[in-house]
Amino acid sequence: MGSLSSSMWIASQALDADQGALDATSNNIANQNTPGYSREIPVLTEADPTVEGNVTYGNGVVLQQIQSVRDQVLQLQIADQNQQQGSAQAQYNALQQVQSLFSDPTQGIGADFTAFFNSISQLSTDPSDMADRQSVLTAAQNLVGDFHSTEQNLDSIQSGLNQSVGQTVSQINTLTAQIAQLNVQVGQMEKLGQDPGTLGDQETELIQQLSQLTNVNQIQTENGLTLTTGSGTPLVVAGQSFALQTTSGASGVTDIASQGQDITGSLQGGQLGGTLQIRDTVIPGLLGQLDNLASQFATSFNAAQASGYDLNGNAGQALFSDTSGAGAASNLTVALSDPSLIAASSDGTAGSDGNVSNLLAVQNQALPSGESPLDTYAGFVSLTGNLTSQANAEVTASTSSLTQLNNQLGSVSGVNLDEETTNLMNYQRAYEAAARIVTTVDELTQSVLDMGSGVTAAP
Amino acid sequence: MRVNPNFTPDILNDLWTSQAEEQTDIEELATGRRVNVPSDDPSAAAADVQNQALQSENDQYLQNTTNLEGVLQTADSTLSSVVTALNQAISLGTQGANGGLSSSQQQAIAQQVEAIQSQVVQSANVSYQGSYIFGGTVTQTPPYALDSAQPDGVTYSGNSGTNTVEIAEGQNMQVNLPGSQIFQGSGGDVMGSLQQLITALQSGNSTSIGTATTQVSNALSYLSQQRVFYGSAVSQLTANQSFLQQEQVSLQAQDNSLVGVDMATAATDLAQAQTAQSAALAAIAQVIPQSLLNYIK
């Protein structure tokens, strides 16, 4: 049987539920611009009915839960794109610096090669001219100087990257420590079937930030998430985070270790992976090629020098010294300071330019590496250009893919003000109506109390 | 259907894209180059390295050509003065062979020919910018010295070396003839015949004076043949110069098509990027104030 008190109770339940719903709406509006926030919806259900004979009485509404609207699959895809974008962006930033070393065709090693051989060609028109001979030495100095500076610039880009490796690792450690804290709470709530709400949002947001830095595998377990690097090194397990350590490696590079084990080579993806790729693969590769070029060029030129005679009729001495393989680009020096020692002569007379053709031949002859000096240098230009434009294309691709994924996620989890305003009005009206029921029932109760007292209720 | 209510990242992205395009277009227009860093077009950038090298080499070939012109012209005009001197010697010889001359007159003619001889030696010792040009590759000492003990009346301290200079890609040009070939060649010995004429004049034997004069005239025609080498070398250089200048123009044209920007396209692109940007800005201005709240009183 229905009763006034049950109506009153239903109305007060409704007021509670509507208040809760208004809270959710208010929280949504408040967090409209909070990064990582997922909108919350009040889950309203009917209360269990009371059955009396043939009549089933509804018992009002229950606010069961305030639920965050999430999409785990999208979150995982976004994390994956984040690590790709982080990696591509880090590579692109570093490669832009690298390619700038090779970007001016009228300067640098390539132009120096040409200027050097031009000075020798000039010498052939007057082999005994000291000014022309001095120009050859000057051009050789310029060439060697640009080998040095290119090598040094690559080194300094590399050490800049090395520094950023250290910084990134400490960012990763901060993030994993924060995630581990949240992970315990979120895991417990989920275990109890509660919605982790904003704690879950915070954890997800931190994981997204972590993905920017390195590739992260997420495994859902009973006790919350387990996070590992792409190759399986644990980062967060339940409430515990495993900090990565940095150690100074052999040649001053920062190595990364986890629990005493070096994992530098296995880290991929994210800002850290991209930085390591450039620091440990691209730049050492370029430096090696630069060393080869310097060494092979200097060796062939020295051989051409040896086949001729200098201005004094002596056999040609080596123009370049310290030409041996590794480090050649930074060690190479011009050994001669006396311009008369350029071996232009083929027969020992001062006026002969017979050996110039041998000296000039080095310009177009293939070095042992397979290409002429200038072609080898042009190879650097196209290599760095290709790497940079590839990284740029990856940045563009992952950015547009991220935009799309974020749009998808936003369409699920984003706060729409119009929607919230509409909800606000709905709950407001519902609250007003429930309050009206309370007033009405109150009046009715008054009437009941007044029954038999001779006082009639107000008409 | 629910859509992403937060369109700010999208709009900002559009703005950034159109701004970046604007910047690229402006840079292209300002520099006149489509390829400003290797990543703009890696293969064109690499080809540009080659092209710049070719242009620079071409400049050097032009420089070589100019340098050589001076020395070759000096050689040519020097030989021209030797021709004049030899012609004088021939007319003196013809005069000396005339039977009606007294011995002292012949001695006087002999002295004139001796003067010619030393003038020819002087010519053979001509130098250009400190280098003797008729000594083969021995350029630091004068190649000829008068030496009456020698049958030719001179000693040659040069050699028979020749030099070649690259004056265009793969094109090497011989740039000198050794003095021994010009003045003491097998086809006509300038030095020897002059000495022979002097000796004949001194001896007063008209027959041998006549023979010697014929020798000088042979030597003259041989020298003229040798002189053709310098004449044609100079004209080869002139031709080469215009070839190189043309080559320079075509290399620059190649460079322009490699890395140069098409101004019309870049300007159009810039206008398009600007339009895109103002459209994006207009969209933001339109959309952001829109909300249900505007309509609730």
Side-chain angles (χ1 to χ4, degrees):
Chain A
M1 202 186 81
S3 68
L4 281 180
S5 63
S6 70
S7 293
M8 188 64 126
W9 192 75
I10 289 172
S12 87
Q13 285 274 88
L15 285 175
D16 277 354
D18 289 334
Q19 256 173 25
L22 279 170
D23 271 359
T25 305
S26 168
N27 196 33
N28 281 345
I29 291 175
N31 282 300
Q32 192 208 164
N33 292 319
T34 310
Y37 179 78
S38 303
R39 76 190 161 103
E40 293 175 341
I41 49 167
V43 182
L44 297 170
T45 51
E46 295 174 59
D48 291 341
T50 314
V51 183
E52 282 181 22
N54 288 335
V55 186
T56 307
Y57 296 96
N59 268 337
V61 68
V62 177
L63 175 60
Q64 207 174 40
Q65 201 180 29
I66 293 183
Q67 196 179 46
S68 294
V69 185
R70 294 211 177 83
D71 188 329
Q72 298 286 1
V73 178
L74 274 176
Q75 293 283 13
L76 284 176
Q77 286 175 340
I78 289 175
D80 186 49
Q81 284 301 327
N82 266 336
Q83 65 91 359
Q84 284 187 27
Q85 193 202 29
S87 167
Q89 187 72 53
Q91 296 193 34
Y92 180 57
N93 291 348
L95 283 166
Q96 272 189 314
Q97 297 177 41
V98 172
Q99 76 162 352
S100 74
L101 302 179
F102 302 100
S103 63
D104 189 348
T106 60
Q107 267 169 15
I109 297 172
D112 291 340
F113 272 133
T114 314
F116 176 64
F117 287 110
N118 280 348
S119 72
I120 294 171
S121 176
Q122 164 98 11
L123 181 61
S124 73
T125 63
D126 192 355
S128 54
D129 189 275
M130 287 311 265
D132 285 353
R133 288 177 166 266
Q134 185 57 52
S135 321
V136 176
L137 285 187
T138 309
Q141 289 286 9
N142 288 343
L143 176 63
V144 166
D146 273 340
F147 263 118
H148 291 183
S149 68
T150 306
E151 201 263 356
Q152 276 159 11
N153 282 326
L154 283 173
D155 275 352
S156 80
I157 294 171
Q158 199 178 23
S159 68
L161 293 175
N162 202 36
Q163 241 169 21
S164 97
V165 165
Q167 285 162 1
T168 311
V169 166
S170 76
Q171 282 175 347
I172 289 176
N173 289 341
T174 314
L175 284 172
T176 50
Q178 288 174 339
I179 292 169
Q181 270 183 1
L182 287 167
N183 201 24
V184 185
Q185 302 176 46
V186 170
Q188 277 169 355
M189 290 173 86
E190 274 172 348
K191 221 173 182 178
L192 298 171
Q194 297 166 337
D195 191 285
T198 44
L199 291 179
D201 290 343
Q202 282 172 27
E203 187 180 23
T204 311
E205 179 62 14
L206 290 174
I207 292 173
Q208 295 299 3
Q209 286 177 19
L210 184 62
S211 309
Q212 278 273 355
L213 302 180
T214 186
N215 188 11
V216 176
N217 278 347
Q218 304 182 34
I219 306 153
Q220 193 76 47
T221 68
E222 246 179 79
N223 300 314
L225 277 175
T226 295
L227 300 181
T228 69
T229 66
S231 54
T233 309
L235 293 171
V236 175
V237 176
Q240 200 185 354
S241 65
F242 296 88
L244 301 175
Q245 295 93 39
T246 51
T247 54
S248 195
S251 48
V253 294
T254 302
D255 284 333
I256 300 160
S258 170
Q259 296 165 290
Q261 228 178 349
D262 191 335
I263 56 162
T264 317
S266 69
L267 287 168
Q268 277 175 346
Q271 198 180 314
L272 185 60
T275 309
L276 288 174
Q277 164 76 12
I278 303 293
R279 187 196 74 175
D280 295 345
T281 309
V282 174
I283 292 185
L286 274 173
L287 283 173
Q289 289 188 36
L290 204 61
D291 281 347
N292 268 344
L293 175 61
S295 157
Q296 294 181 357
F297 163 75
T299 311
S300 349
F301 193 84
N302 283 347
Q305 266 279 111
S307 69
Y309 297 89
D310 62 25
L311 198 60
N312 313 316
N314 301 319
Q317 299 171 31
L319 175 60
F320 298 104
S321 59
D322 297 314
T323 61
S324 61
S330 55
N331 298 335
L332 197 66
T333 44
V334 177
L336 305 181
S337 56
D338 178 359
S340 67
L341 298 180
I342 306 288
S345 168
S346 57
D347 57 8
T349 56
S352 161
D353 72 356
N355 197 43
V356 165
S357 59
N358 291 328
L359 299 179
L360 283 180
V362 178
Q363 185 174 24
N364 296 317
Q365 256 166 21
L367 296 171
S369 60
E371 281 179 319
S372 75
L374 188 70
D375 285 349
T376 312
Y377 175 78
F380 292 171
V381 174
S382 93
L383 174 71
T384 53
N386 271 321
L387 285 173
T388 315
S389 80
Q390 209 178 323
N392 189 24
E394 276 169 31
V395 171
T396 313
S398 57
T399 305
S400 81
S401 164
L402 259 183
T403 309
Q404 208 180 352
L405 285 169
N406 275 323
N407 273 339
Q408 278 186 43
L409 185 68
S411 74
V412 177
S413 305
V415 175
N416 183 333
L417 272 190
D418 296 343
E419 183 184 353
E420 299 306 328
T421 312
T422 314
N423 286 342
L424 182 67
M425 293 195 301
N426 272 338
Y427 298 134
Q428 186 187 359
R429 293 279 169 260
Y431 189 91
E432 281 169 7
R436 174 56 55 91
I437 289 176
V438 173
T439 325
T440 309
V441 173
D442 181 46
E443 280 169 13
L444 290 177
T445 313
Q446 192 61 48
S447 303
V448 172
L449 290 176
D450 289 347
M451 271 201 297
S453 69
V455 181
T456 50
Chain B
M1 201 186 91
R2 208 166 187 279
V3 295
N4 183 12
N6 184 9
F7 39 73
T8 326
D10 262 0
I11 289 178
L12 286 179
N13 216 0
D14 286 350
L15 268 182
W16 290 333
T17 312
S18 55
Q19 261 171 6
E21 264 167 37
E22 263 185 338
Q23 270 180 8
T24 314
D25 293 332
I26 288 171
E27 193 187 10
E28 285 185 0
L29 284 170
T31 59
R33 287 167 63 90
R34 181 175 62 82
V35 181
N36 287 300
V37 285
S39 61
D40 289 342
D41 185 342
S43 61
D48 189 33
V49 170
Q50 312 272 16
N51 181 289
Q52 293 293 341
L54 286 178
Q55 288 195 35
S56 164
E57 280 167 33
N58 209 60
D59 279 344
Q60 184 57 50
Y61 293 140
L62 264 174
Q63 181 70 44
N64 286 357
T65 306
T66 316
N67 287 0
L68 288 175
E69 257 178 351
V71 62
L72 290 174
Q73 268 163 3
T74 308
D76 190 48
S77 62
T78 307
L79 291 184
S80 150
S81 72
V82 173
V83 167
T84 315
L86 288 182
N87 274 325
Q88 270 176 3
I90 290 166
S91 58
L92 286 171
T94 317
Q95 203 184 327
N98 189 338
L101 287 179
S102 70
S103 165
S104 63
Q105 281 171 323
Q106 281 174 332
Q107 291 307 321
I109 293 173
Q111 272 168 11
Q112 279 178 293
V113 177
E114 271 174 350
I116 287 171
Q117 185 190 35
S118 61
Q119 188 194 332
V120 168
V121 167
Q122 209 176 0
S123 293
N125 284 341
V126 73
S127 69
Y128 182 79
Q129 291 182 349
S131 295
Y132 296 96
I133 60 183
F134 293 124
T137 60
V138 182
T139 57
Q140 304 304 296
T141 47
Y144 279 103
L146 282 170
D147 182 355
S148 50
Q150 298 295 324
D152 282 356
V154 289
T155 49
Y156 179 60
S157 54
N159 64 7
S160 59
T162 57
N163 278 340
T164 54
V165 171
E166 194 170 9
I167 54 162
E169 186 74 45
Q171 199 183 332
N172 289 299
M173 187 174 108
Q174 186 180 338
V175 295
N176 70 322
L177 287 176
S180 53
Q181 187 183 332
I182 303 173
F183 302 107
Q184 291 170 290
S186 50
D189 186 343
V190 174
M191 297 300 183
S193 61
L194 280 176
Q195 183 61 34
Q196 203 183 333
L197 182 59
I198 293 164
T199 317
L201 282 165
Q202 282 165 346
S203 71
N205 181 337
S206 349
T207 323
S208 35
I209 296 175
T211 318
T213 308
T214 318
Q215 288 300 325
V216 174
S217 133
N218 282 345
L220 171 63
S221 68
Y222 181 71
L223 181 90
S224 305
Q225 284 169 30
Q226 301 302 308
R227 198 187 144 201
V228 170
F229 167 85
Y230 286 102
S232 61
V234 170
S235 58
Q236 193 185 345
L237 285 181
T238 314
N240 189 50
Q241 215 158 21
S242 59
F243 164 76
L244 289 173
Q245 274 153 358
Q246 211 173 344
E247 185 72 7
Q248 192 73 341
V249 172
S250 89
L251 282 171
Q252 275 160 1
Q254 273 176 30
D255 189 44
N256 198 36
S257 69
L258 265 180
V259 298
V261 72
D262 178 1
M263 287 294 176
T265 316
T268 317
D269 286 351
L270 178 60
Q272 269 172 359
Q274 278 169 335
T275 313
Q277 201 187 5
S278 28
L281 287 171
I284 296 170
Q286 284 270 318
V287 166
I288 283 183
Q290 293 294 338
S291 158
L292 181 58
L293 291 167
N294 297 2
Y295 300 93
I296 300 173
K297 297 287 176 248

